Amino acid sequence: MSAMKSLARCLLLLSLLRAASARLSIGKGAQESWTHSGEISPAMDYDVVVFRTGDDPKVTEYRIPQLGVGPVNQTLVLLAEARITGKGDDVPKNIVYRFSQDQGRSWSPERILFPSENNYNIYGGSLVVDQVKKSMIYVIPYCVLPCPGGKYNTSNVWTMLQFTSTDDGRTWSAPRNISGMIGTSAFFGPSSGVQKMRSPHKGRLFTCGHHGPQAVDGVWCITSDDHGETWQSGLFLMGLPYDMDKVDGDLLPDENNVVELSNGWLLINARNQYHFHCRCRLSIYSENGDAVAARSQDITVNTDLPDSAVASGLATYQGTVLYAAANSSTAREFLAMRWSYDSGATWTPGIMLWPAGCGYASMAAQFEYDPRSENRKVYIAYEKGIVVGTIDSISVATVDLFGAYD
């Protein structure tokens, strides 16, 4: 019996050493590849309301911002849900968008990407930019037939629709059904994906959603190695205990975003729905995004990123990971931006960008793909409330990464 106990202790020690080594190698690789010679010092440049509740009498509220920077002329495009007959996730809605060609100072009139005023079962999705083919891809879940219970019903059959833009999000293709490739389980956003610019699998499109409903929810990723022509299932991490109702403290990764680190690894930052370990964010690391379950040693909690169970934004700048979200562990309030110099292992206290109500957030930037660019701005779309506990509009804040030096 003592020999068995000794073997078990040795195996446990070996597992812990491997996990520590994996985490250290991620941070070390990113730091060695980091080329920026000084620390960033961000400051707010300007903040513009893009969608405001009350501007369109048919829209009850605008929710779920999804922000992207076009790969052609760096046009900003902001997608959102225009909820028609009430508030809440399961109401009829249109998927709408506006775009800006002057770095977020002014915006086009509202356009409808996908009308669904009489259907309760459509949701904001996942946005990924193809820097090689100069296109933007947006994937949303849609239930053609009546789907009682919406995203909370496990028996519903979903159609996954892909929209593609080749002009920086100013116009979009007709929807294409990709359910035959990735299945009819729902792939919910909001989320931002990435195109890998480093080996392994350079050029691969990688984006993640969450699965829903909560008993079987978790992070589910899809990949494409041919610029969105075909898709395959990728990395996944389901909640635990699986196929059971969750209670506070259970593991349930939810809405998320992906960035590529300097060493080619992928970092997925996810909402921590039931406060596993802490009221803070979850991070999942993946070497290539292949279709395997996330390894336990590649899952960490970010105790210095408070999370009130809300969607956030994620981007990178020359090895520095940028993050924006409500800066509270108990309420959706106080938009803040933080950053990490060690691939997401630790985070700065950051800066406050909005001192009142703040819901979902999304972040986008272009400079990572063009080191010659003088544009050092990052853009943050967020649900904005004049007072805590309210959402009155969706606004886009423009932050100069070196503004505090000026």
Side-chain angles (χ1 to χ4, degrees), residues 80-81 93-96 111-114 122-124 138 140:
E81 294 181 4
K93 60 183 75 73
N94 294 326
I95 304 298
V96 298
R111 299 183 180 183
I112 296 178
L113 174 67
F114 192 72
I122 184 171
Y123 301 91
Y138 190 52
I140 64 170

Side-chain angles (χ1 to χ4, degrees), residues 19 22-28 30 206 221 235-237 257-270 282-290 292-302 305 314 321 340 342-347:
R23 285 193 290 271
L24 286 172
S25 67
I26 291 170
K28 181 180 179 182
F206 183 88
C221 306
L235 181 82
F236 60 91
L237 175 63
N257 296 288
V258 186
V259 292
E260 185 182 23
L261 302 174
S262 296
N263 62 354
W265 280 63
L266 296 164
L267 167 61
I268 305 167
N269 183 275
L282 295 169
S283 285
I284 306 161
Y285 293 92
S286 174
E287 184 174 5
N288 52 37
D290 284 343
V292 296
R295 304 182 306 173
S296 58
Q297 62 262 41
D298 294 332
I299 306 166
T300 64
V301 292
N302 302 122
L305 289 184
L314 200 67
V321 185
S340 171
D342 55 9
S343 300
T346 60
W347 297 84

Side-chain angles (χ1 to χ4, degrees), residues 2 6-8 19 78 81 93 98 104 107 196 203 268 292 325 345:
S2 60
S6 298
L7 177 60
L78 177 61
E81 294 181 4
K93 60 183 75 73
R98 298 179 68 181
W107 293 80
K196 290 187 92 288
I268 305 167
V292 296

Side-chain angles (χ1 to χ4, degrees), residues 19 79 103 108 116 154 205 212 228 230 252 273 305 341 353 368 400:
L79 299 118
Q103 298 183 343
S108 72
S116 184
T154 56
L205 301 180
T230 62
L252 185 61
Q273 180 65 32
L305 289 184
Y341 295 119
L353 298 175
E368 183 72 8
D400 186 334

Side-chain angles (χ1 to χ4, degrees), residues 13-25 296-298:
L13 178 60
L14 178 61
S15 175
L16 291 171
L17 288 171
R18 285 176 175 171
S21 175
R23 285 193 290 271
L24 286 172
S25 67
S296 58
Q297 62 262 41
D298 294 332

Side-chain angles (χ1 to χ4, degrees), residues 74-88:
Q74 290 74 61
T75 302
L76 285 177
V77 60
L78 177 61
L79 299 118
E81 294 181 4
R83 298 178 173 180
I84 304 298
T85 61
K87 298 183 178 182

